[in-house]
Amino acid sequence: MAIQSEAQLEEELLGRLAGLGWSRVALPDVAALHANLKAQLEAHNGLTFSEDEFKRILNHLEKGSVFEKAKTLRDRMVLHRDDGTVTHIEFFNKVEWCKNRYQVTHQVTVEGSYKTRYDVTLLVNGLPLIQIELKRRGLGLKEAFNQINRYQRHSYWAGSSLFQYVQIFVISNGENTKYYANNRDQDFKQTFYWAKENNETIQQLEKFTDAFLEKCFVSKMIAKYIVLHESNKIPMILRPYQYYAVEAIVDRVQKGRKNGYIWHTTGSGKTLTSFKASQIIVENPKVAKVVFVVDRADLDYQTTKEFNAFSEGSVDGTDNTNKLVKQLADPKMKLVVTTIQKLNTAITRERHDAAMAKIKDERVVFVFDECHRSQFGETHKNIVNAFPKAQMFGFTGTPILAENAIGKKTTTDLFGDCLHKYVITDAIRDENVLRFSVEYWGKLRKKDGSLLTDDEVGGIDVKEFFEHDDRIEGVVDWVIEHHNSKTHNRQFSAIMCCSSVDALTKTYETFAKRKAEGMHDLKVATIFTFQANEDDQDADGLIGEPDVTGGPVNAATQHSRDKLSGCVSDYNAMFGTNHSVKDGKAFYGYYKALAKRMKWRDSKAFVPEEGIDILLVVNMFLTGFDAKTCNTLYVDKNLKYHGLIQAFSRTNRILGQKKSQGNIVCFRNLKTKVDEAIALFSNKDAKDQILIEPYQVYVDSFNAAVKALLEVAETPGAVDRLESEEDTLAFVQAFRELMRVRNVLTTFAEFSDDDLAMDEGRFEKYKSKYLDIYDKVKSDREAEQKASIIDEVDFELELIRRDNINVAYILALLASIGEEEDDEAGRAQANAKKKAALDLLGSEARLRSKRELIEEFIASYLTIRRTGDETRDAFNAYWDEKREQAFKDICSEEGLDSDGFSRLMQSYQFTQKEPLADDVLPVLKEPVGILQRKSVITRVIDRLKGFIETFDENMGDL
């Protein structure tokens, strides 16, 4: 049976869309797109535009970034007409979203940096708002994703930038179909399947089209369920389970006064869901006020900015309760964002009674973020008493159920029905969170060597054993030995949780001692509250709310505070800061600084030397805290039920290919507790879906992948003899699978190359061939050669990137050549080092842009023996000369002012943000016509980035 071609798939889709009410229209080029836009806007607005009036509309539409255009789409334009009158132009009816005009076209040709043709475009009122890219059945979706990224670089900005109005991208190969918002910075991991309300995914293109691309439904998604994220200046679109949760809450508010809660697993984006729910409920005229309630530790800068952007002044990040009371009493303030602590103060202090009486009998809707932490105590009772007509909705990833209930109260007792459920197995299946790799080390054993059972452990006093100096030193030594492999050479960070303040301080001091002994250079920081009894509260499995003021300062807590003060002094010395814990305000400042530094690793602007490698805690940071680049949790305390799942979930946020799982290393025998927690919060058979397979399974997978690779290319040299593009594609896919499995294997403590059917040397030779193909594909793209079937393959270079291999490493290897004896053995050793350097240049993705230059240096400067210092000096002089010449060449060939171009590069290196068109234009010596402007700007930016990649990045300490 023949494989359905992309053209056949496209024609089937066009027919299906036409059946759903999308009018087919032929728009072969930008001129036709403009003419159609004019006609559609005229019809939608009931007006007729002159050519000059339409030019003003096009000029208005062309302005701004993708984020700003998303706002333009939702606003009205003030149009000054030729006759002197003023009218307002609507581009999209976001209130009655079905009352828009719908068309479908295909193969629109747009010429930007290159000539491109887009597959299927859905137009609303003449604007392209949904773009569908197709691949033939059998090809991966990531190829379509990469193609859209290339279009964004090369042509979406051309032709009045109308394709920058795309709100939703859809990618499909017929069998699998995903959607995502228009955000260039996101990874393929941020693409989603649509699903039914029961979380059953809808993957086939035909079924997806019927469910998602029905014209009224997709208009509703654009109108209501795209969030314009102010902090990052990007549009975001809700995933299906977020959509169903918001719809369920909104429906309950519209139809009555019942409460409810949403069970969405940790890491699935509950804050975004609750934000959108609050945003929509506010629009209900029957609701007097919406109060969004978070824990003080979670009210970070980003949350504040998002809510204040939506409703100015809705968030007050201070401890001033008076302002909250005024907000609650003010009928004009429809949305209020507050902390649970401040809300409790406002409703329990008598002095606020008069002001609070104004709203007591109003219809107030409360939305609680992370309600498993905030609503199981006196606070909930206080809120119910203060607002007898309130309607309450809670969000939780780990609800309190009958099995783990505190004081016999469950989440259902407090909030009523579960309105929507999306558990951890759903999220792992959809690749919205990662699975866990759990290893158990340092279990308690009897004298005969057998493990103590949980019952036996419970019957003895093990605190002395667990906090013994020798044991803690053993744990720390294990972490020091394995931390780099767990975190891929510190590309990721880790949290380590200890059983008590005493155990933590012993652990911290042991890390410091080992550092002084020269055993590691890890950056270790810590935070804990002052309470002497901050230890395992494992009776109910609940990790309590973190007290971000540190707790009371008195004689009983002085010792803990002094210990922490010393740790903060170490932190200040390490990072050049000036924090203290002298009072609650200072403690909170230190807490926020730690959170910011842990999250900074997520940013492109992150400087590795300024990051925390391991954060030691007792309870803090184990709930609610999210840092995508945290991939490891070292556990040296008892955890169970929701506390265990919450703590483990600090590690399983999705981030690229290299982060393949969340690593959990348990220094306690928690296996039974892990199994119980998984069964409780998913189902009893879910363990295999949540935990990754044992080490041997991945060894077997690697060896099977080796066999598959050898069937394509028996030797590295055979790769050069592959005759067809299909064979080359097969090699790329086979080696990529090998990389993926090896990436997981290297995080196991027992990993050994001896277990694998391909040793590292042979793997490196194949890797070099793989990178040769990547370079050729990249070169062909830039030369605008014909499309290739491997043109859009994602080579996943991050899986083979080694940060410790840089130019400084190569130079040290070359410099050591001069130290060899001048005899036959010494010359052989020198040649071996030179060959090793050349091999590294071929096999390291980060060095290939520098390969030709370094090879030239080796060929021209190392023909005679030199000392190490002579080699280094010669290389630095050579590199400076080449860098200066390349800089001059770019300025000469592109007609750039050298000082301006230099400033442009410095700005890019500092901010890691691409220059804007307005930044590049002043650097051009000669003015450029409108038609050529964007292609010239794109080329200059590409050359700027290429220059920095070649001469400045991944150099190391020369």
Side-chain angles (χ1 to χ4, degrees):
M1 180 177 160
I3 295 176
Q4 183 185 41
S5 70
E6 187 178 315
Q8 290 170 323
L9 186 64
E10 183 177 301
E11 193 54 43
E12 278 188 14
L13 174 61
L14 290 166
R16 201 164 196 94
L17 288 165
L20 290 171
W22 295 85
S23 300
R24 289 188 66 161
V25 58
L27 302 173
D29 52 33
V30 171
L33 194 68
H34 285 175
N36 181 69
L37 175 62
K38 181 175 183 291
Q40 292 296 305
L41 287 178
E42 287 175 337
H44 181 69
N45 288 277
L47 299 168
T48 302
F49 306 127
S50 70
E51 290 303 319
D52 285 343
E53 287 169 346
F54 184 64
K55 282 180 183 176
R56 290 198 284 276
I57 293 173
L58 277 182
N59 287 338
H60 176 79
L61 289 171
E62 191 170 8
K63 294 174 184 174
S65 62
V66 167
F67 181 75
E68 289 158 347
K69 285 183 170 70
K71 289 186 172 182
T72 299
L73 175 70
R74 290 160 175 81
D75 290 339
R76 288 173 177 257
M77 174 190 172
V78 177
L79 177 65
H80 294 273
R81 308 206 66 178
D82 294 344
D83 62 6
T85 61
V86 174
T87 190
H88 291 81
I89 307 302
E90 180 181 82
F91 299 111
F92 177 72
N93 188 338
K94 62 183 181 181
V95 178
E96 297 178 281
W97 48 82
C98 286
K99 293 186 177 180
N100 290 293
R101 302 177 63 81
Y102 301 96
Q103 297 171 297
V104 57
T105 190
H106 69 123
Q107 298 298 318
V108 178
T109 299
V110 177
E111 189 156 359
S113 302
Y114 308 101
K115 182 179 285 189
T116 49
R117 286 194 306 175
Y118 311 141
D119 288 346
V120 177
T121 305
L122 300 183
L123 303 133
V124 181
N125 304 327
L127 283 169
L129 298 192
I130 300 107
Q131 182 61 37
I132 306 168
E133 286 302 319
L134 303 172
K135 291 293 175 187
R136 64 175 171 81
R137 293 181 192 270
L139 286 181
L141 281 188
K142 203 166 187 181
E143 275 72 315
F145 176 83
N146 293 339
Q147 184 167 315
I148 286 174
N149 284 347
R150 199 171 90 235
Y151 289 161
Q152 285 175 318
R153 290 194 305 272
H154 293 162
S155 60
Y156 280 155
W157 44 261
S160 300
S161 306
L162 293 184
F163 276 88
Q164 290 187 330
Y165 279 89
V166 169
Q167 300 295 290
I168 301 172
F169 286 113
V170 176
I171 50 178
S172 181
N173 60 8
E175 290 300 316
N176 294 299
T177 307
K178 301 181 87 172
Y179 72 99
Y180 58 102
N182 188 355
N183 167 18
R184 269 186 68 181
D185 292 333
Q186 66 196 351
D187 186 83
F188 180 67
K189 298 279 188 179
Q190 277 82 53
T191 61
F192 321 121
Y193 290 113
W194 189 246
K196 299 177 183 177
E197 192 169 359
N198 65 357
N199 302 314
E200 181 186 337
T201 54
I202 299 171
Q203 300 184 20
Q204 286 192 327
L205 181 58
E206 298 91 334
K207 292 179 180 179
F208 175 89
T209 302
D210 293 345
F212 190 87
L213 295 179
E214 190 278 322
K215 58 186 183 181
C216 280
F217 183 82
V218 78
S219 294
K220 181 181 181 180
M221 291 299 295
I222 293 171
K224 291 179 67 176
Y225 291 112
I226 285 180
V227 175
L228 302 184
H229 196 278
E230 288 289 341
S231 302
N232 296 334
K233 302 295 182 190
I234 56 171
M236 300 172 68
I237 189 167
L238 267 61
R239 305 175 192 196
Y241 58 88
Q242 294 174 312
Y243 164 83
Y244 290 119
V246 175
E247 287 281 290
I249 291 174
V250 171
D251 182 68
R252 183 149 284 204
V253 171
Q254 288 174 342
K255 292 181 178 177
R257 300 295 184 97
K258 285 185 177 181
N259 301 333
Y261 75 94
I262 302 297
W263 176 357
H264 282 183
T265 192
T266 303
S268 60
K270 290 187 299 298
T271 301
L272 177 64
T273 314
S274 49
F275 168 74
K276 176 49 72 173
S278 303
Q279 195 180 47
I280 294 176
I281 298 167
V282 161
E283 298 169 0
N284 189 324
K286 295 179 182 178
V287 174
K289 200 173 296 287
V290 176
V291 183
F292 185 78
V293 187
V294 299
D295 186 272
R296 176 165 43 205
D298 301 331
L299 187 57
D300 61 11
Y301 169 77
Q302 202 165 36
T303 307
T304 301
K305 189 168 183 179
E306 292 310 306
F307 275 102
N308 274 334
F310 169 62
S311 179
E312 190 173 348
S314 63
V315 187
D316 173 28
T318 72
D319 291 325
N320 186 340
T321 308
N322 291 326
K323 181 171 180 182
L324 170 62
V325 172
K326 288 179 181 177
Q327 288 178 323
L328 291 171
D330 183 357
K332 295 179 182 177
M333 183 65 71
K334 288 272 285 181
L335 175 66
V336 174
V337 183
T338 186
T339 65
I340 189 72
Q341 296 86 355
K342 193 157 56 170
L343 177 62
N344 192 47
T345 301
I347 61 181
T348 54
R349 299 287 167 85
E350 287 186 13
R351 68 174 183 270
H352 300 310
D353 286 352
M356 297 298 291
K358 297 177 182 178
I359 194 175
K360 185 172 184 178
D361 294 323
E362 297 279 3
R363 186 176 181 188
V364 180
V365 176
F366 284 90
V367 179
F368 295 94
D369 194 26
E370 302 289 1
C371 68
H372 66 271
R373 279 194 280 148
S374 62
Q375 290 301 292
F376 287 83
E378 291 300 314
T379 302
H380 183 83
K381 296 176 185 175
N382 295 337
I383 295 170
V384 171
N385 291 334
F387 300 96
K389 295 186 178 179
Q391 192 169 13
M392 297 190 177
F393 298 99
F395 283 79
T396 178
T398 49
I400 307 302
L401 306 170
E403 295 87 342
N404 61 322
I406 304 165
K408 299 183 180 177
K409 286 284 187 182
T410 67
T411 304
T412 299
D413 292 334
L414 296 184
F415 286 94
D417 301 335
C418 177
L419 302 181
H420 193 260
K421 185 187 292 188
Y422 186 76
V423 299
I424 190 168
T425 41
D426 296 320
I428 288 171
R429 178 202 62 224
D430 296 342
E431 298 184 333
N432 286 326
V433 299
L434 299 170
R435 296 162 78 191
F436 299 115
S437 171
V438 184
E439 297 180 64
Y440 303 96
W441 297 91
K443 305 178 183 76
L444 283 175
R445 295 182 181 275
K446 301 176 188 177
K447 289 184 179 179
D448 63 5
S450 63
L451 284 175
L452 282 168
T453 66
D454 284 354
D455 289 339
E456 289 170 327
V457 170
I460 62 174
D461 179 9
V462 295
K463 181 177 173 64
E464 182 180 354
F465 169 82
F466 280 124
E467 296 189 8
H468 192 277
D469 291 353
D470 289 347
R471 179 188 171 278
I472 286 179
E473 286 185 358
V475 168
V476 170
D477 288 344
W478 192 99
V479 171
I480 291 170
E481 180 182 354
H482 295 98
H483 182 76
N484 280 0
S485 65
K486 292 293 175 192
T487 59
H488 292 291
N489 288 320
R490 307 187 203 178
Q491 288 181 44
F492 300 94
S493 64
I495 294 174
M496 184 171 186
C497 55
C498 303
S499 59
S500 66
V501 170
D502 287 343
L504 183 151
T505 52
K506 281 186 178 182
T507 303
Y508 181 87
E509 288 164 1
T510 304
F511 271 112
K513 177 184 173 185
R514 291 291 189 257
K515 192 169 192 174
E517 294 168 350
M519 290 182 62
H520 74 87
D521 61 350
L522 294 164
K523 290 183 167 59
V524 179
T526 186
I527 189 169
F528 49 86
T529 56
F530 305 146
Q531 290 95 319
N533 64 340
E534 188 195 353
D535 54 11
D536 276 344
Q537 301 293 327
D538 67 340
D540 52 36
L542 179 66
I543 295 174
E545 301 168 31
D547 186 343
V548 293
T549 67
V553 177
N554 52 42
T557 63
Q558 187 64 42
H559 177 71
S560 292
R561 201 183 99 172
D562 289 345
K563 286 281 189 182
L564 180 59
S565 184
C567 298
V568 175
S569 295
D570 294 343
Y571 177 90
N572 290 333
M574 192 157 43
F575 297 115
T577 54
N578 190 31
H579 293 286
S580 78
V581 287
K582 63 182 179 181
D583 54 32
K585 185 176 181 181
F587 184 97
Y588 187 35
Y590 177 59
Y591 170 89
K592 289 194 292 185
L594 281 178
K596 185 176 181 181
R597 194 172 290 276
M598 286 290 285
K599 289 187 178 188
W600 187 26
R601 197 181 291 263
D602 296 357
S603 165
K604 288 182 180 178
F606 174 68
V607 178
E609 293 75 20
E610 295 295 316
I612 296 169
D613 294 313
I614 302 174
L615 178 63
L616 293 180
V617 299
V618 178
N619 285 327
M620 303 185 91
F621 285 90
L622 295 184
T623 64
F625 174 73
D626 294 330
K628 291 179 180 178
T629 44
C630 178
N631 83 327
T632 299
L633 177 73
Y634 301 115
V635 182
D636 196 12
K637 68 178 292 177
N638 294 328
L639 293 168
K640 64 192 274 190
Y641 293 140
H642 40 296
L644 183 147
I645 295 294
Q646 286 287 332
F648 281 21
S649 296
R650 298 314 101 209
T651 68
N652 73 337
R653 301 304 190 271
I654 295 288
L655 182 68
Q657 294 294 334
K658 184 158 275 190
K659 189 179 179 185
S660 50
Q661 74 271 345
N663 296 316
I664 312 295
V665 181
C666 295
F667 299 106
R668 305 284 180 106
N669 187 15
L670 294 180
K671 187 176 187 309
T672 301
K673 301 304 181 188
V674 170
D675 293 348
E676 288 174 353
I678 289 172
L680 181 63
F681 292 113
S682 49
N683 63 67
K684 63 184 176 62
D685 300 317
K687 188 168 66 171
D688 291 342
Q689 301 169 50
I690 293 174
L691 306 181
I692 73 167
E693 304 291 348
Y695 172 71
Q696 188 58 44
V697 172
Y698 288 97
V699 170
D700 294 343
S701 295
F702 182 89
N703 292 340
V706 168
K707 184 178 178 182
L709 175 68
L710 296 181
E711 289 175 359
V712 179
E714 192 171 354
T715 65
V719 177
D720 298 331
R721 298 190 293 275
L722 295 174
E723 294 182 357
S724 68
E725 282 195 337
E726 285 80 4
D727 291 339
T728 303
L729 176 62
F731 167 73
V732 168
Q733 292 172 329
F735 187 77
R736 188 173 62 181
E737 180 60 24
L738 204 66
M739 290 194 304
R740 288 173 177 170
V741 181
R742 199 174 197 280
N743 179 61
V744 178
L745 273 169
T746 56
T747 64
F748 283 91
E750 63 262 51
F751 172 69
S752 170
D753 245 354
D754 295 338
D755 298 331
L756 307 183
M758 180 180 287
D759 62 36
E760 187 173 10
R762 193 168 174 82
F763 178 85
E764 292 295 318
K765 290 176 182 177
Y766 275 108
K767 185 173 84 173
S768 182
K769 298 299 181 183
Y770 177 82
L771 289 170
D772 286 342
I773 296 169
Y774 169 75
D775 285 345
K776 183 178 185 306
V777 169
K778 187 178 177 183
S779 174
D780 287 349
R781 280 184 197 152
E782 291 170 355
E784 296 185 70
Q785 292 187 10
K786 68 179 181 66
S788 160
I789 63 170
I790 57 171
D791 189 39
E792 302 302 334
V793 169
D794 191 308
F795 282 77
E796 297 180 9
L797 298 185
E798 61 194 290
L799 294 180
I800 47 175
R801 190 181 71 195
R802 293 187 291 183
D803 288 341
N804 57 330
I805 306 295
N806 52 32
V807 174
Y809 183 95
I810 297 287
L811 187 55
L813 196 61
L814 297 176
S816 67
I817 290 174
E819 298 168 5
E820 303 296 339
E821 297 294 329
D822 193 11
D823 54 22
E824 187 174 342
R827 285 190 290 275
Q829 189 68 27
N831 287 332
K833 288 182 177 181
K834 195 179 294 187
K835 182 179 183 300
L838 292 169
D839 288 344
L840 279 172
L841 289 172
S843 64
E844 286 304 314
R846 289 182 157 200
L847 297 182
R848 289 172 77 89
S849 63
K850 315 171 197 303
R851 178 168 62 172
E852 189 175 323
L853 290 167
I854 297 176
E855 286 176 347
E856 181 185 316
F857 172 77
I858 292 172
S860 57
Y861 281 79
L862 293 184
T863 53
I864 60 172
R865 295 177 64 79
R866 299 173 184 269
T867 66
D869 287 343
E870 286 175 337
T871 300
R872 289 188 181 90
D873 291 344
F875 180 83
N876 284 320
Y878 167 83
W879 202 254
D880 289 344
E881 178 188 335
K882 291 294 183 181
R883 188 182 192 281
E884 184 178 351
Q885 186 57 52
F887 180 85
K888 288 178 179 177
D889 289 345
I890 293 174
C891 291
S892 172
E893 291 162 12
E894 301 294 346
L896 306 176
D897 173 70
S898 57
D899 290 339
F901 188 56
S902 179
R903 286 192 297 270
L904 211 59
M905 282 200 299
Q906 290 170 8
S907 174
Y908 173 73
Q909 287 174 301
F910 180 74
T911 65
Q912 288 297 301
K913 291 183 179 179
E914 282 190 14
L916 300 173
D918 290 344
D919 299 323
V920 177
L921 286 174
V923 178
L924 299 171
K925 288 182 178 179
E926 300 292 336
V928 180
I930 294 290
L931 295 178
Q932 293 81 34
R933 182 174 295 174
K934 287 197 173 179
S935 60
V936 170
I937 289 169
T938 300
R939 191 173 65 246
V940 169
I941 292 172
D942 286 345
R943 295 196 71 174
L944 179 152
K945 290 162 68 178
F947 179 89
I948 290 172
E949 180 187 348
T950 300
F951 289 99
D952 296 339
E953 290 180 347
N954 308 306
M955 297 296 291
D957 187 6
L958 297 178

